[in-house]
Amino acid sequence: MRRIALLIICIFLVGHVVAHVTLPNFFSDNMVLQQQTECHLWGWTDKGKTVSITTSWDQKTYTAKADQAGRFELKVQTPEAGGPYNITFNDGSICSLENILIGEVWICSGQSNMEMQMKGFKQQPVEGTTEELLRCKDSQLRLFTVKRHASLTPVQDVTGHWNEAIAASVRDFSATAYYFGRALRQTLGVPVGLIATSWGGSACEAWMKADWLKAFPKVNQHVTEADVKKLQQRCPTALYNGQLKPLVGYTMRGAIWYQGEDNIPRYDYYAPLMARMVEGWRAEWQQGDFPFYYCQIAPYDYSLIQWKDSQYLREQQMKAEEMIPNARMAVLMDAGLEYGIHPRKKRQAGERLALLALANTYDVKGLPEFAKYKEVEFKNDTCVISFDRSKEWVYFEHGTTSNNFEVAGSDKVFYPASKVWVSRNRVYVKCDDVKQPAAVRYAFKDWTEGDLMHDGLPVSSFRTDNWDSQPPTPSKGKGDYNNPQ
């Protein structure tokens, strides 16, 4: 009898050895799915096994069969924004995801000024955090932070989990991304999901596949495990492999980006580099030319870390706007910090990114826009500068003139402007030391407080010449200035 009982138990156990469906960490309770689209889902189970997926918003059941590696994938139709809902996965064992919202999903990436949490870095606060934590609770705003991970090869998953916006979760979330999401929530009135994947000090090259970097001979084309261990977030491809590739395919509306400081010593090819990165992301996601909005780096005294000439990187970022379809740049010329590379004014960064998204992706009317330098005309001793996107006319923030303009003649020697004034959407500049001007520059230096404005928003620094095209010398031995612990 004992032998028969053991046999029955063994048969029972064998009959119930069923692998549970395994999902990436970002498919979990509290997540947000993109509304009104075919939303991509995937996971793993036993090879060849069929998985049924039921969505509670329409009670529809889909099926998918796992391939030889055990991976299954499918697309489910999502409704208009709403929830909470649940999704059930069944491969013989049931896995159910609860408290799911349908709304707007954005990927938020970059280096430390995107990573910088609402609580700030040590001795580097974010302006307004205390007040914001008192009123940040919002069950319709969901936050997911990807844990730092550099890898030589692409990984399948990331570490992180979804949280509703409450003081504890907002405090540890990207400040720029939070303010972006909060503005979308308030204006659109729908659930918003933010996936933050960033790392302080990271290079643009780290967020790109090796194939995309072949067009840039200055970039290391043969990355090794030793390179990843030594350089981590600065190693080409390492963050694409470790923090972005696992997310590719998560159906979303678009991406926001705040990066560039680490690329200042290599500014001379940053615009085409970033354009190639965006092109690559879009090809991988297979969602067409999804919106891509990014911050221009803010002014800072880079001599403090033995660097210089960040204005050339800002210029490259301005050029990238013309090179990347469906992309726009948020200007932060009035939101820098002379002695800190991590500006405190993250609300301005996030909300200006939101302005771009609301106006250009969601077609919200009545919002201001960033004017942009167009051209200069030299009339005798006067430089006449005109602007695009300036229907409300430009002006100076602190009066009727500015100290941020310089003028040079054909000798390429720049002198401070003697007289600067505005009429309609043009700026007029004269310099007593330059009787025949050949070039004019505005705020074209590392640190400055931008004061040229349009409709409440700053205008980017600019120059009318193309002199001084040699890149600055990289610093050595300064450590990870953009990666505070």
Side-chain angles (χ1 to χ4, degrees), residues 200-201 230-231 233-234 262 305-307 341 475-484:
K230 179 181 179 180
L231 300 174
Q233 77 276 28
R234 290 188 171 91
D262 187 75
I305 57 170
Q306 298 179 13
W307 281 13
I341 200 168
S475 65
K476 297 180 180 180
K478 294 302 294 180
D480 192 357
Y481 69 87
N482 229 2
N483 182 20

Side-chain angles (χ1 to χ4, degrees), residues 51 125 162 176 246 252 307 314 381-382 458:
V51 181
W162 284 99
T176 295
M252 46 73 168
W307 281 13
R314 295 199 303 264
D381 64 348
T382 304

Side-chain angles (χ1 to χ4, degrees), residues 182-249:
R182 187 192 70 165
L184 296 191
R185 278 279 302 126
Q186 291 176 340
T187 304
L188 301 175
V190 301
V192 171
L194 305 173
I195 300 177
T197 179
S198 52
W199 189 334
S202 61
C204 183
E205 298 90 331
W207 298 98
M208 301 172 66
K209 287 179 69 172
D211 285 349
W212 309 344
L213 293 168
K214 289 179 179 178
F216 305 96
K218 294 181 181 180
V219 180
N220 179 13
Q221 303 293 315
H222 304 287
V223 175
T224 66
E225 190 67 55
D227 293 325
V228 175
K229 289 181 179 179
K230 179 181 179 180
L231 300 174
Q232 292 189 296
Q233 77 276 28
R234 290 188 171 91
C235 182
T237 77
L239 300 190
Y240 169 84
N241 293 329
Q243 291 187 212
L244 191 76
K245 177 60 176 176
L247 300 171
V248 169

Side-chain angles (χ1 to χ4, degrees), residues 299-316:
Y300 160 66
D301 183 0
Y302 278 87
S303 68
L304 296 174
I305 57 170
Q306 298 179 13
W307 281 13
K308 62 178 182 177
D309 295 338
S310 60
Q311 66 270 26
Y312 292 101
L313 192 284
R314 295 199 303 264
E315 180 182 57
Q316 286 281 307

Side-chain angles (χ1 to χ4, degrees), residues 134-152:
L134 293 173
R135 56 175 177 258
C136 68
K137 185 177 181 180
D138 185 353
S139 64
Q140 302 287 293
L141 178 59
R142 306 289 175 83
L143 316 172
F144 186 102
T145 300
V146 174
K147 186 177 179 180
R148 293 173 170 182
H149 181 56
S151 176
L152 179 64

Side-chain angles (χ1 to χ4, degrees), residues 376-384 406-415 429-441 464 467:
V376 64
E377 183 179 0
F378 299 108
K379 294 185 176 181
N380 298 319
D381 64 348
T382 304
C383 313
V384 184
E406 299 173 291
V407 181
S410 58
D411 61 358
K412 302 182 182 182
V413 178
F414 280 89
Y415 298 89
V429 183
K430 295 179 68 172
C431 179
D432 293 341
D433 296 305
V434 183
K435 300 304 181 183
Q436 292 184 314
V440 59
R441 295 179 174 184
T464 67
W467 306 332

Side-chain angles (χ1 to χ4, degrees), residues 11-44:
I11 293 172
F12 178 83
L13 290 174
V14 169
H16 287 75
V17 176
V18 179
H20 291 273
V21 168
T22 302
L23 301 170
N25 283 318
F26 40 80
F27 292 141
S28 64
D29 294 346
N30 306 317
M31 70 177 177
V32 181
L33 297 179
Q34 181 61 41
Q35 66 171 323
Q36 296 178 293
T37 189
E38 287 190 325
C39 201
H40 188 204
L41 302 175
W42 67 91
W44 302 272

